């Protein structure tokens, strides 16, 4: 597949030459939470055909943004992971997520797919380091069939797939409840009160969870949206 180019000697244009094709940034988004097998990427990116997925992954490999690895035992299966250059796209994608939560997300449209790990990246984009000062804790989120973890270390956060070993606090809810929480339509306390979520573990760690994320207030982009 021929690679298109803007043919401009500009850092922004050169970057878009690398990651501006459809699905490419979403592939990087998927890999930001850890290595993924080909089938994992297919499952998360519905609508991306097998041939195009293969082409996009080869492009990322060729350009030094992703690499093939073998997952450790017990899986021992081939997977894809970001390189150092690919990982450094993380802050840019988080900024896009932060902008999107304010100016683009809105209500979920009919037919739109949703995976909790996408919202987790959005939450990471809204993490408030000042609120996490002095906090060292591991949160485990059990959302439907998925398990995710957030490791907070005195003002920094790392989020990834899989159970924590061991977690300081465990939050359990279904996909719809998590979507309401991530979209700012509800709070953890409200969801627990409604019976839509449960929380267990260290009470002090749980008490600080609500202050760790500052969701942007959604704003309309046009006069028609404001009417």
């Amino acid at each position: 597949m021929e690679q298109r180019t803007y043919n401009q000697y500009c850092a922004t244009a050169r970057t878009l030459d690398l990651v501006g094709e459809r699905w490419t940034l979403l592939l990087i988004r998927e890999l930001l939470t850890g290595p993924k097998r080909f089938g994992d990427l297919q499952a998360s990116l519905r609508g991306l055909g097998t041939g195009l997925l293969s082409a996009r992954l080869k492009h990322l490999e060729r350009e030094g943004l992703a690499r093939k690895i073998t997952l450790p035992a017990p899986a021992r299966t081939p997977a894809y992971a970001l390189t150092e250059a690919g990982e450094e796209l993380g802050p840019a994608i988080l900024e896009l997520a932060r902008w999107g939560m304010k100016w683009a997300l809105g209500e979920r449209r009919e037919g739109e797919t949703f995976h909790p790990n996408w919202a987790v990246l959005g939450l990471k984009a809204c993490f408030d380091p000042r609120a996490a000062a002095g906090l060292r804790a591991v949160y485990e989120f059990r959302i439907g069939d998925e398990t995710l973890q957030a490791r907070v270390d005195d003002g920094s956060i790392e989020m990834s797939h899989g159970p924590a070993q061991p977690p300081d606090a465990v939050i359990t809810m279904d996909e719809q409840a998590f979507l309401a929480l991530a979209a700012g339509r509800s709070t953890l306390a409200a969801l627990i009160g409604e019976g839509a979520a449960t929380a267990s573990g260290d009470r002090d760690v749980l008490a600080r969870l609500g202050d760790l994320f500052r969701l942007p207030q959604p704003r309309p982009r046009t006069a028609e949206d404001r009417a």
Side-chain angles (χ1 to χ4, degrees):
M1 185 177 296
E2 183 179 353
Q3 182 176 335
R4 292 182 288 187
T5 176
Y6 288 102
N7 200 31
Q8 295 180 9
Y9 187 60
C10 161
T12 302
R14 285 283 184 92
T15 302
L16 289 175
D17 283 345
L18 296 176
V19 300
E21 293 281 3
R22 190 166 183 256
W23 296 106
T24 303
L25 279 179
L26 295 186
L27 270 172
I28 293 170
R29 177 199 67 188
E30 294 299 312
L31 295 175
L32 280 173
T33 53
K36 302 288 187 304
R37 296 169 297 185
F38 190 93
D40 297 329
L41 295 169
Q42 273 190 314
S44 293
L45 299 172
R46 296 178 189 175
L48 175 56
T50 300
L52 186 55
L53 174 56
S54 295
R56 291 289 182 265
L57 288 169
K58 287 178 182 177
H59 167 77
L60 291 177
E61 285 186 85
R62 183 172 61 250
E63 299 296 345
L65 299 175
R67 60 192 175 92
K68 289 179 181 175
I69 65 166
T70 299
L71 294 175
R76 298 189 186 280
T77 56
Y80 293 87
L82 293 176
T83 62
E84 179 183 3
E87 290 282 356
E88 288 198 6
L89 284 165
I93 291 177
L94 292 180
E95 283 296 331
L96 281 173
R98 187 179 293 111
W99 184 92
M101 293 174 77
K102 181 177 181 179
W103 294 105
L105 190 60
E107 294 297 322
R108 186 177 181 180
R109 299 168 185 163
E110 184 177 353
E112 284 187 327
T113 58
F114 170 75
H115 291 284
N117 61 302
W118 300 343
V120 165
L121 282 177
L123 290 175
K124 184 175 180 180
C126 301
F127 176 69
D128 184 354
R130 293 169 298 178
L135 176 64
R136 290 180 172 83
V138 180
Y139 296 90
E140 182 175 290
F141 298 91
R142 299 174 184 172
I143 307 157
D145 295 330
E146 294 199 44
T147 303
L148 310 145
Q149 59 175 286
R151 293 182 170 271
V152 180
D153 185 7
D154 191 21
S156 66
I157 188 170
E158 290 298 328
M159 307 188 81
S160 59
H161 289 274
Q165 301 291 339
D168 297 297
V170 177
I171 298 92
T172 304
M173 64 187 73
D174 65 17
E175 184 179 290
Q176 291 303 314
F178 184 69
L179 186 57
L181 179 67
R185 296 195 302 270
S186 188
T187 64
L188 180 59
L191 292 171
I192 292 173
E194 298 164 2
T198 62
S200 61
D202 188 298
R203 290 189 176 184
D204 292 335
V205 169
L206 285 168
R208 296 190 64 175
L209 178 59
D211 296 325
L212 296 181
F213 305 98
R214 304 292 182 192
L215 300 180
Q217 185 66 32
R219 296 279 305 279
R221 296 191 307 275
T222 66
E224 289 79 4
D225 291 333
R226 289 192 289 271

